[in-house]
Amino acid sequence: MDWRGALPFWLSFLLIPLAWMAATHGGWTLLLVPLVTWYLFAALDGLLGLNLDNADPDTPDDDLTWHVALTTLWVPAQAVTLFGLIWYVTHAGHLAGWEKIALFFGVGVLTGTIGINYSHELMHQQSRFERALADLLLAMVLYSHFRSEHLLVHHRHVGTPRDAVTARYNESFHRFYPRVLRQSLISAFRAERDMLARRGLLWSNRLNPFWRYWTLQGAMLLLAFALGGWAGLGLFLVQAGVAIWQLELVNYIEHYGLTRKHLGDGRYEHVLPRHSWNAAHKASNWLLINLQRHSDHHYKPGRRFPLLQNHDEDTAPQLPYGYPVMTAAAMVPPLWRRVMNPRVRRWRARHYPEITDWKPYNKALTPMPR
């Protein structure tokens, strides 16, 4: 692959000057980042349609230089934008208090939709450098434990009661959100604690990555305070809260109502493409670096984003729209259920006709006690 194949994925970098424009002009420009991220790309999905083409999954990393550079360079770009804006708005006098909050709402959309998504790509790589970059991005939104939860819990237990992030059938986002905030932190800590215990070490051992998480997050908070005082710290917390909300909205829709078949004795079937919702919408996959090809990501977690394969309706359930539209629908539970519940029921009938009682699968998906 050459630079031309990577170019559409670099569209995310255009959001950074929009954030600075909003900071310097205020007013209606404060809407630019959310409007472009959510609505422009939703409109482009409608215009450009689906991308059903698949790259050769065996393409070597040496041919993906421009794709790797994208996620790598985003880290310093986001850091400069986030902390540069904290310094700028706390020292400039042209923005009212509500405008500063609105600006950092947009920054949270940026750090959540793009930053956390890029950290997701980076944390799945074998390179220590890339994983360290993932840690920096997550620390900027005070969600460092997402790395442990995602790699050690979610991928291993997706679609089972041990995965807090799998939204159960008929569970609204407004119930899912507070539940997953609490349970994912607990399950992430337990996963790291248990790994250390298997080596005969206590959770307090310096090898526990939570020490690194807390240190990085503390450093980000101190930097925000040093640059902008209490106001800067508050604005940092605003963007972090919005970013986390954006992440969990995506988590909610990715596996809603999809469960792996229980085989008995605590065992479940292997993860297959049919256990994640797939979306082939072209423009939003550019923005989200193929995150919507989530069925293949869970099937082959080690694949870099340009190599993720699109799965058709024969092998994976399909979302009717891309993530920008679906996350908006998730905020309105009656609309969400009207759109998605019939699709879940058809998925069950198609892949698991032998299961006649789904009540055990509809119970709250809470982590099993350890």
Side-chain angles (χ1 to χ4, degrees):
M1 295 184 181
D2 59 17
W3 65 270
R4 288 167 294 187
L7 188 60
F9 296 108
W10 284 75
L11 286 172
S12 59
F13 274 80
L14 297 179
L15 297 174
I16 290 178
L18 292 183
W20 282 98
M21 182 186 300
T24 55
H25 291 77
W28 69 270
T29 63
L30 297 168
L31 299 173
L32 282 174
V33 172
L35 285 177
V36 169
T37 305
W38 296 341
Y39 299 110
L40 177 60
F41 276 88
L44 288 174
D45 275 342
L47 289 173
L48 300 178
L50 307 179
N51 176 21
L52 305 178
D53 297 333
N54 289 320
D56 181 357
D58 295 322
T59 302
D61 279 0
D62 291 344
D63 293 341
L64 302 175
T65 301
W66 286 96
H67 297 85
V68 175
L70 165 67
T71 51
T72 301
L73 293 177
W74 178 265
V75 182
Q78 176 175 302
V80 169
T81 300
L82 172 59
F83 292 106
L85 286 173
I86 287 175
W87 180 87
Y88 177 76
V89 302
T90 54
H91 289 78
H94 66 286
L95 293 178
W98 71 266
E99 288 180 302
K100 295 176 183 178
I101 294 173
L103 171 65
F104 275 81
F105 179 94
V107 174
V109 171
L110 187 73
T111 57
T113 304
I114 310 301
I116 296 182
N117 185 31
Y118 285 14
S119 78
H120 169 256
E121 171 72 11
L122 290 163
M123 73 174 66
H124 273 283
Q125 309 312 315
Q126 296 182 356
S127 162
R128 287 188 177 182
F129 175 67
E130 288 177 285
R131 290 194 171 205
L133 292 179
D135 285 341
L136 289 174
L137 287 174
L138 291 175
M140 289 184 216
V141 295
L142 304 180
Y143 219 55
S144 296
H145 69 274
F146 175 61
R147 171 174 159 176
S148 293
E149 187 280 331
H150 186 79
L151 297 177
L152 302 181
V153 183
H154 179 58
H155 269 274
R156 185 178 302 173
H157 301 298
V158 63
T160 78
R162 294 188 72 168
D163 179 38
V165 178
T166 299
R168 71 184 185 272
Y169 179 76
N170 236 23
E171 181 182 29
S172 73
F173 173 73
H174 305 295
R175 286 193 173 188
F176 168 86
Y177 187 45
R179 177 178 68 75
V180 79
L181 288 179
R182 180 182 71 257
Q183 293 177 357
S184 63
L185 176 58
I186 294 171
S187 61
F189 187 85
R190 285 176 174 172
E192 295 290 359
R193 180 201 65 188
D194 293 348
M195 286 188 64
L196 289 169
R198 287 193 288 272
R199 300 169 62 183
L201 302 174
L202 296 175
W203 72 266
S204 55
N205 189 277
R206 63 181 180 81
L207 295 178
N208 189 337
F210 271 78
W211 293 115
R212 180 172 69 254
Y213 300 162
W214 293 328
T215 300
L216 287 173
Q217 290 178 170
M220 298 298 174
L221 290 168
L222 286 174
L223 180 56
F225 182 79
L227 293 171
W230 290 110
L233 183 61
L235 293 173
F236 178 86
L237 293 175
V238 167
Q239 69 82 30
V242 173
I244 293 167
W245 167 60
Q246 291 283 275
L247 165 67
E248 297 303 352
L249 262 174
V250 169
N251 276 336
Y252 175 76
I253 69 176
E254 285 174 337
H255 304 282
Y256 174 79
L258 306 181
T259 51
R260 287 152 61 191
K261 183 178 179 180
H262 185 243
L263 303 178
D265 298 325
R267 296 181 300 109
Y268 290 83
E269 64 178 319
H270 290 298
V271 178
L272 296 170
R274 64 170 174 253
H275 297 123
S276 309
W277 292 97
N278 185 78
H281 300 79
K282 183 179 293 186
S284 48
N285 266 323
W286 287 342
L287 178 69
L288 300 173
I289 56 171
N290 281 340
L291 179 66
Q292 299 175 144
R293 293 188 169 193
H294 209 61
S295 298
D296 196 57
H297 170 66
H298 270 272
Y299 185 50
K300 298 289 184 180
R303 280 182 180 159
R304 288 192 181 269
F305 76 87
L307 307 183
L308 290 172
Q309 306 293 288
N310 180 68
H311 289 267
D312 60 26
E313 60 184 8
D314 290 333
T315 56
Q318 305 293 310
L319 290 173
Y321 305 101
Y323 283 10
V325 172
M326 297 307 297
T327 50
M331 292 298 296
V332 186
L335 174 61
W336 174 263
R337 288 192 290 266
R338 182 177 179 180
V339 172
M340 292 302 297
N341 282 8
R343 287 175 166 80
V344 174
R345 291 194 294 268
R346 288 196 294 270
W347 173 85
R348 289 174 170 180
R350 179 170 189 170
H351 294 287
Y352 302 100
E354 72 280 9
I355 300 178
T356 57
D357 181 13
W358 284 94
K359 289 182 181 179
Y361 291 90
N362 292 341
K363 293 180 180 179
L365 292 174
T366 55
M368 293 180 179
R370 302 191 181 190

